[in-house]
Amino acid sequence: MAVRHFLTLLDLTPTELNQLITRAIELKKIQKENTLFEPMKNRTLGMIFEKSSTRTRVSFEAAMTQCGGNAIFLSSRDTQLGRGEPVEDTARVLSGMVDCIMIRTFEHSKIETFAQYASVPVINALTDDYHPCQLLADMQTFQEERGSIKNKIVTWVGDGNNMCNSYINAAKQFGFKLRISCPEGFEPNKTLLENNKNHAQLIPDLAKAVSGTHLVVTDVWASMGQEEEQTNRAKAFASYQVSPNLMDLADKNALFMHCLPAHRGEEISIDMLDDSRSVVWQEAENRLHAQKALLEFLMTA
Ligand code: CP
Ligand code: NVA
């Protein structure tokens, strides 16, 4: 059978994605009960990081350890990748040594090339264009708190970045309506939006975009690699802050999510993460459980 990769949410069918979320919830229960569950025994995950990470690194590494396997952290600073060894070569070499490879990098095309040459599953742990692993955790969190997200309304606030693009894919795969509220010039990928116009629409007016919604999501104004644009972006995004007052416009059972790290006083008010509608800590923990389900799907299916 052809090896499966997880480069975007479109690599799995809607049915597979929903099964994965159900499985993530089961695996969370197994862990909370302290039941030994080691489907990854003698398996190794290679983890290539070309950008910083806290949650992604720790959740993948802990997931492998808890499932009886092992993870190897590979930074571009101290591997030959950082000295120019082609990804095509690295992909073939690592495929002979590990059972699955996770990559966090800049250009999305790099991970596509890597996957083309790899003979083991490749997981996108964030590129400039997509962050699908985060969406698994977000979808798990919504399911746990409010049940199915199908036919619900989700509002993305702020930058049309990698997280926003992944929310567009999620709208298609999980069947919700996505409203995107961005300042002019910071909209998500045009083609992606055009191809998903049945379930994703731009609503620059923030109050209108949040009105009656079931989930509000935001992210930093300047992503990794855009640090030099921070000052300009802070001006452009100034009126796109999520606060408890803004959340009051949403549905009375609305939730708030943020992939983290968050910048209090920028994309969120200083008190937003402590608001009762915020589920960000549960969302962060669910990275662990959702990725266990993903690793199990890719490596033991
Ligand atoms: N949300 C997320 O991916 O966090 P890290 O950058 O810490 O991995
Ligand atoms: N959009 C952010 C997400 C961080 C998890 C970034 O790419 O830096």
Side-chain angles (χ1 to χ4, degrees):
M1 212 175 74
V3 63
R4 300 284 297 270
H5 301 298
F6 186 62
L7 306 190
T8 74
L9 289 171
L10 305 184
D11 285 328
L12 269 62
T13 65
T15 305
E16 286 170 335
L17 286 169
N18 279 302
Q19 283 167 349
L20 209 131
I21 301 305
T22 305
R23 183 63 178 150
I25 294 169
E26 277 168 20
L27 291 174
K28 185 172 182 174
K29 189 163 173 276
I30 287 173
Q31 197 211 335
K32 301 285 177 203
E33 287 167 348
N34 273 325
T35 308
L36 197 64
F37 178 67
E38 298 191 320
M40 301 294 157
K41 214 164 173 66
N42 298 322
R43 308 279 183 128
T44 304
L45 171 72
M47 307 193 300
I48 299 174
F49 281 95
E50 301 198 310
K51 289 177 174 171
S52 302
S53 169
T54 298
R55 281 144 286 269
T56 304
R57 178 180 174 180
V58 176
S59 54
F60 268 113
E61 199 162 328
M64 286 304 291
T65 308
Q66 290 169 15
C67 290
N70 185 39
I72 305 176
F73 175 74
L74 301 157
S75 140
S76 51
R77 263 192 301 275
D78 41 39
T79 58
Q80 301 289 3
L81 259 179
R83 296 181 61 248
E85 184 168 14
V87 287
E88 294 88 335
D89 298 359
T90 309
R92 283 176 284 196
V93 170
L94 291 187
S95 292
M97 299 175 179
V98 301
D99 303 282
C100 184
I101 302 165
M102 182 237 80
I103 312 177
R104 169 168 286 196
T105 189
F106 293 85
E107 307 84 5
H108 191 74
S109 58
K110 195 166 180 176
I111 200 167
E112 288 176 333
T113 307
F114 198 102
Q116 201 185 325
Y117 285 86
S119 52
V120 298
V122 174
I123 297 172
N124 178 359
L126 184 146
T127 62
D128 289 344
D129 295 345
Y130 296 101
H131 193 7
C133 289
Q134 183 66 51
L135 263 292
L136 296 180
D138 289 17
M139 294 300 102
Q140 179 186 345
T141 309
F142 193 92
Q143 176 73 38
E144 287 172 340
E145 287 298 312
R146 297 287 183 268
S148 175
I149 200 162
K150 200 173 163 87
N151 297 327
K152 294 277 195 269
I153 306 168
V154 177
T155 302
W156 175 265
V157 181
D159 193 16
N161 62 12
N162 45 9
M163 277 295 300
C164 180
N165 289 340
S166 284
Y167 260 94
I168 296 174
N169 279 344
K172 176 179 184 178
Q173 299 294 72
F174 289 92
F176 59 81
K177 296 283 178 216
L178 181 66
R179 299 174 181 168
I180 301 165
S181 199
C182 304
E184 205 186 330
F186 296 92
E187 294 85 2
N189 182 295
K190 242 197 177 90
T191 318
L192 185 69
L193 200 54
E194 183 57 31
N195 292 342
N196 287 282
K197 57 176 181 240
N198 288 342
H199 28 259
Q201 60 170 146
L202 289 176
I203 305 185
D205 180 331
L206 184 56
K208 208 168 143 197
V210 169
S211 168
T213 197
H214 301 106
L215 171 63
V216 176
V217 196
T218 192
D219 188 12
V220 291
W221 291 341
S223 286
M224 290 181 275
Q226 298 174 330
E227 288 78 5
E228 284 167 15
E229 299 172 31
Q230 174 66 34
T231 313
N232 283 344
R233 283 174 168 263
K235 282 187 206 132
F237 286 91
S239 59
Y240 285 81
Q241 184 182 79
V242 181
S243 63
N245 280 348
L246 183 76
M247 290 297 297
D248 289 344
L249 303 177
D251 182 82
K252 66 175 181 357
N253 291 317
L255 296 174
F256 170 73
M257 293 189 198
H258 188 311
C259 63
L260 306 177
H263 294 178
R264 290 172 175 84
E266 293 184 21
E267 77 276 6
I268 50 160
S269 60
I270 46 167
D271 50 355
M272 189 58 236
L273 298 189
D274 303 313
D275 187 270
S276 60
R277 291 161 287 193
S278 163
V279 286
V280 295
W281 313 121
Q282 181 179 342
E283 179 189 4
E285 182 192 317
N286 283 342
R287 294 292 304 276
L288 172 71
H289 310 296
Q291 285 158 205
K292 271 188 192 170
L294 176 66
L295 290 164
E296 186 186 51
F297 175 84
L298 294 174
M299 280 203 265
T300 66

